Amino acid sequence: MAKKIIVIIFSVLIFNACSVYSSYYSYYPVEEIKTLAIKGTIKNGDSKNSPLSSISVEDKRNLNGKKHKLILLNNSIKLVKDGKEYIIPYSKSQNDDDEYLYIDILKNGVNITDDEFVVYLGKIELDTGEIIKLPPLRLKKYVYITKGSILNTINPNGKFNQYYNTVEEYKKNGWKEEWINFIYL
């Protein structure tokens, strides 16, 4: 009986010591645009050195279930990284949805892996006819990290720690307890 208890205790300690760690990187504007959701997607989201793949723009009203169309009125997008300008041609393909704008960056030979850059999207027309003239948007790289033990994945009520902030802030301060939220799966 004592052997079983010792085996159980050591098993719990070993499983609790092993951890599950995942991270996901993406870009978001520093200044939020009230009516639009803008996101920069990285080619390999779990690698901090992976290049920017695309920028997507969506009407925030899409969250209510009804899809709202967008039209980018410019035929090119300008990116500025380290003082160097890149012009990305834009034309909507027939396969694209009208519910969001998808700008393929990597396909056009631009390789952005920095923590921040500036994008000039220009004017966007909503399906209401309203035209939004976007200012230059400074996009920063954000990281979303989830940590937990192997026992947390087995236990349906297990707790996972989360971190979400800019990569710059993470490099500067690391994982701070006040940024940790507990999630119950």
Side-chain angles (χ1 to χ4, degrees):
M1 183 64 168
K3 288 182 184 180
K4 286 182 182 181
I5 293 173
I6 291 173
V7 168
I8 291 171
I9 290 172
F10 278 114
S11 297
V12 167
L13 291 174
I14 289 170
F15 278 122
N16 215 18
C18 298
S19 64
V20 175
Y21 176 90
S22 68
S23 61
Y24 181 78
Y25 296 87
S26 55
Y27 287 94
Y28 290 98
V30 173
E31 298 290 325
E32 186 177 348
I33 306 298
K34 290 181 184 177
T35 55
L36 301 173
I38 300 170
K39 179 182 179 185
T41 304
I42 294 177
K43 183 177 180 182
N44 181 4
D46 58 352
S47 171
K48 70 178 177 182
N49 296 322
S50 186
L52 174 69
S53 174
S54 63
I55 296 175
S56 61
V57 181
E58 184 176 11
D59 191 323
K60 286 185 179 177
R61 297 176 298 161
N62 288 350
L63 299 175
N64 67 12
K66 185 178 178 195
K67 301 302 179 186
H68 296 274
K69 297 181 179 187
L70 295 174
I71 299 171
L72 183 64
L73 299 177
N74 301 30
N75 58 3
S76 65
I77 285 69
K78 182 169 78 169
L79 295 170
V80 178
K81 176 188 98 166
D82 299 329
K84 189 172 180 182
E85 292 184 4
Y86 300 93
I87 304 297
I88 309 292
Y90 177 78
S91 63
K92 196 165 197 71
S93 102
Q94 291 180 346
N95 296 334
D96 286 349
D97 253 343
D98 287 333
E99 298 162 5
Y100 68 95
L101 304 172
Y102 178 82
I103 301 137
D104 197 342
I105 304 298
L106 203 54
K107 179 178 95 173
N108 290 289
V110 177
N111 187 11
I112 294 179
T113 57
D114 295 0
D115 288 347
E116 69 177 83
F117 64 94
V118 178
V119 63
Y120 296 82
L121 292 171
K123 296 179 183 177
I124 294 177
E125 184 177 353
L126 303 178
D127 60 1
T128 61
E130 178 185 357
I131 295 177
I132 299 172
K133 184 175 186 231
L134 294 171
L137 298 171
R138 191 171 60 138
L139 272 68
K140 284 194 162 210
K141 191 183 284 185
Y142 281 76
V143 61
Y144 174 73
I145 302 172
T146 305
K147 285 197 237 181
S149 73
I150 289 181
L151 285 179
N152 294 17
T153 60
I154 297 169
N155 179 359
N157 294 324
K159 293 180 182 178
F160 283 90
N161 296 330
Q162 286 185 321
Y163 174 87
Y164 178 75
N165 209 330
T166 64
V167 170
E168 175 185 47
E169 189 67 34
Y170 184 69
K171 285 178 183 176
K172 188 168 112 184
N173 295 316
W175 185 295
K176 293 235 175 170
E177 289 300 317
E178 63 262 20
W179 292 327
I180 297 175
N181 299 317
F182 291 101
I183 293 182
Y184 296 97
L185 298 176

